[in-house]
Amino acid sequence: MACRLMGAGIIIGNSQLSCDMARYIKENGGVDVLSAKLADRILTVGVENGQVTGTDVHIANIRKWTSRYHNDAIAWIELARAYTIKGLKTKAKRAALVALQLAPHDRFIVRSAVRFFLHIGDYESAWYYINRASKSHFDPWIKATEINVANISMRSTPAIKKLIPNALSHEQLFHFSELLESYGNLELESGNDHKARKQLKLAWQNPSESVITHAEWIIRNKLPGLKESADLEYSRSPEAYTWQNYNELKLDEAIEAAQEWELEEPYSKYPFIVGTCIACNADKPEIGVDIAERGLTIDPNNKIILNNLCYALLRIGDVESASKHIKKIYPEGETEADLIALATIGLYEIKSKNVTKGRESYTEVIRKFRQQGKTDLQAAAILNLAIAEIDVCTSEAKAIALQALSVTENINTPTVLLVRRILQSKLLGKRTTKGG
């Protein structure tokens, strides 16, 4: 009972309960080795500083289970997921390999493990295990994953058309939806929009969650004309629902959906990157800081998350905290991420009273985005420069702000609209309305 209460205290944030139970366990003994180690860790590093989390308890419980039931492949793949959340990629890989050894052809195990390998950039392992499973028997879910891995790892893909029956029932459409979507994506990449639309519409009739996620991206970035005809339940996919709400400027709902996306894919960098951006554009940079810090727990050296953290910290005026990370984000080239980082460095310089140096960075970013034809990003940089000028009260701030609003008034993307709203509010001397 003390072990359970110790874990419950961590999960609900009651550090006193966890410490009391850990102390009781250390004094009385009679528990398994893993629980004793967790108790010792709590008493050594504490709970309040975030060193011990609910994930630690989850890992301890799964390890106890796998020590008793060695052949439980699902437990091993769950252990891999939990280790990934903690950023322990070596341990996670070891657990995933055990799961694959126990169930090399199981759909859930193989797809989960392959997803992990893709996450860590181990394309060779991803291809080996998905290809092995695909050869054992035909499964549309496995085959769809194999095709996606082949595309990512630049391998030749099998002919998909012959794998799909001519007539599919509504239930069969669900099981073949990812394969149909893969077929549609390949046609789209080859420039055959007509065939792509046909296969995608078929996939969207009874789609899996993954298909809904990708459908939202395709409609937003490739085939906006399909938006009206696509009857998709975006709320089934936290990622898709995040973007849907953001595009509709439903900011509270978008932030909430992004947090659900975090819970569903806590090992992925994307919910943290997108969530931070949405929070900052909603004029809630303090929430952006929290999201970025959670993301860095999973991926401590991710430059995009570090950049977003710096940007959010600078937006709330915490230059000192931003200074601890700013050197880590210096650009190494002229990619989109590099230029965004250079803009953040410009913001840091302006907030540090080095206005001329900060303007030079922003001017370079604006020029590069204009050359690349990235109008939205160019506009966002122009607006962010104006916001920075107002924040430090430069003599030219008002003129720069009015010019920024003028040159961006015909751009209606969500990000530009929201950053314009922040700038307009600052011109009036007030903060934007919470939640949009």
Side-chain angles (χ1 to χ4, degrees):
M1 181 60 71
C3 290
R4 292 178 183 176
L5 290 172
M6 178 174 66
I10 294 172
I11 293 169
I12 66 174
N14 189 332
S15 59
Q16 187 62 53
L17 174 61
S18 294
C19 289
D20 287 347
M21 293 302 100
R23 196 172 294 109
Y24 179 88
I25 290 168
K26 292 294 290 182
E27 291 173 355
N28 293 275
V31 299
D32 60 277
V33 175
L34 291 175
S35 294
K37 285 184 178 180
L38 182 59
D40 184 61
R41 187 177 178 195
I42 289 171
L43 294 174
T44 302
V45 303
V47 178
E48 291 180 345
N49 59 7
Q51 293 291 323
V52 181
T53 66
T55 305
D56 294 302
V57 178
H58 188 46
I59 289 172
N61 287 334
I62 302 172
R63 286 181 62 193
K64 284 190 284 186
W65 179 270
T66 54
S67 67
R68 184 180 301 176
Y69 303 103
H70 309 286
N71 296 326
D72 188 342
I74 291 178
W76 281 105
I77 204 68
E78 175 59 17
L79 182 59
R81 188 185 75 90
Y83 276 139
T84 308
I85 293 171
K86 293 289 292 182
L88 303 172
K89 296 178 182 179
T90 301
K91 289 185 176 182
K93 184 173 182 178
R94 191 181 304 126
L97 290 172
V98 172
L100 285 166
Q101 185 176 1
L102 293 169
H105 309 302
D106 181 88
R107 177 192 298 166
F108 174 73
I109 299 299
V110 173
R111 280 163 57 95
S112 298
V114 167
R115 194 173 188 177
F116 164 74
F117 290 132
L118 293 176
H119 169 67
I120 64 173
D122 187 353
Y123 299 148
E124 287 298 319
S125 293
W127 174 252
Y128 173 78
Y129 288 106
I130 193 64
N131 185 247
R132 183 178 70 172
S134 180
K135 286 179 178 179
S136 70
H137 66 286
F138 176 74
D139 180 332
W141 298 89
I142 293 288
K143 183 58 71 173
T145 305
E146 181 188 20
I147 291 166
N148 291 333
V149 173
N151 283 332
I152 292 170
S153 58
M154 306 298 289
R155 297 175 184 270
S156 60
T157 57
I160 303 178
K161 186 176 181 179
K162 65 181 182 180
L163 301 173
I164 303 172
N166 292 326
L168 291 169
S169 67
H170 187 70
E171 181 179 351
Q172 287 175 319
L173 280 171
F174 175 72
H175 294 290
F176 278 84
S177 61
E178 290 190 16
L179 200 54
L180 287 163
E181 183 205 42
S182 297
Y183 188 9
N185 283 336
L186 289 174
E187 294 291 357
L188 193 60
E189 289 174 7
S190 66
N192 195 332
D193 283 10
H194 178 72
K195 285 187 177 180
R197 290 168 186 266
K198 180 181 177 181
Q199 298 304 323
L200 291 171
K201 286 180 178 180
L202 195 58
W204 297 348
Q205 288 184 24
N206 190 12
S208 70
E209 180 183 319
S210 175
V211 171
I212 292 174
T213 300
H214 295 150
E216 188 282 329
W217 185 90
I218 289 170
I219 292 171
R220 175 162 44 92
N221 294 284
K222 297 288 186 179
L223 300 172
L226 291 180
K227 182 177 180 180
E228 298 302 323
S229 61
D231 185 19
L232 294 164
E233 192 178 344
Y234 291 121
S235 59
R236 285 176 52 200
S237 164
E239 180 179 347
Y241 202 44
T242 297
W243 284 109
Q244 182 195 33
N245 283 311
Y246 182 61
N247 289 328
E248 294 177 359
L249 302 184
K250 297 177 181 178
L251 303 181
D252 286 335
E253 291 88 342
I255 292 172
E256 184 178 344
Q259 291 170 341
E260 290 181 15
W261 183 8
E262 282 183 41
L263 294 174
E264 184 172 278
E265 297 186 39
Y267 44 79
S268 172
K269 62 186 177 183
Y270 294 109
F272 303 100
I273 292 171
V274 175
T276 306
C277 291
I278 291 174
C280 289
N281 292 339
D283 202 23
K284 296 185 177 183
E286 63 282 353
I287 294 179
V289 171
D290 291 339
I291 295 172
E293 288 178 340
R294 291 198 297 273
L296 290 173
T297 302
I298 312 303
D299 196 351
N301 300 312
N302 188 283
K303 289 185 70 172
I304 299 178
I305 300 177
L306 281 166
N307 172 78
N308 289 3
L309 174 61
C310 289
Y311 177 74
L313 287 168
L314 292 168
R315 282 282 304 277
I316 63 177
D318 191 350
V319 180
E320 183 179 354
S321 294
S323 68
K324 298 175 183 177
H325 307 286
I326 200 72
K327 290 183 179 179
K328 302 174 186 176
I329 70 168
Y330 270 78
E332 299 174 352
E334 294 185 357
T335 66
E336 182 177 307
D338 286 324
L339 293 176
I340 290 172
L342 183 58
T344 301
I345 291 167
L347 177 60
Y348 173 76
E349 295 294 349
I350 291 173
K351 293 276 189 174
S352 302
K353 308 302 181 184
N354 301 318
V355 177
T356 300
K357 193 172 181 180
R359 285 174 178 169
E360 289 174 355
S361 292
Y362 266 114
T363 301
E364 178 69 6
V365 171
I366 293 165
R367 185 178 68 84
K368 289 291 185 182
F369 278 143
R370 183 174 61 250
Q371 288 179 345
Q372 296 174 9
K374 296 179 178 178
T375 307
D376 295 352
L377 292 172
Q378 178 190 352
I382 292 169
L383 292 165
N384 272 295
L385 170 59
I387 291 170
E389 297 270 355
I390 289 179
D391 283 344
V392 298
C393 302
T394 65
S395 59
E396 306 95 330
K398 186 174 181 180
I400 291 172
L402 292 173
Q403 176 66 13
L405 290 171
S406 174
V407 299
T408 61
E409 64 180 345
N410 294 322
I411 301 174
N412 296 316
T413 60
T415 296
V416 173
L417 289 172
L418 291 169
V419 182
R420 278 176 57 86
R421 181 187 296 179
I422 294 170
L423 178 56
Q424 289 166 336
S425 180
K426 285 181 177 290
L427 273 174
L428 296 173
K430 63 181 180 180
R431 198 171 181 187
T432 57
T433 304
K434 293 291 185 181

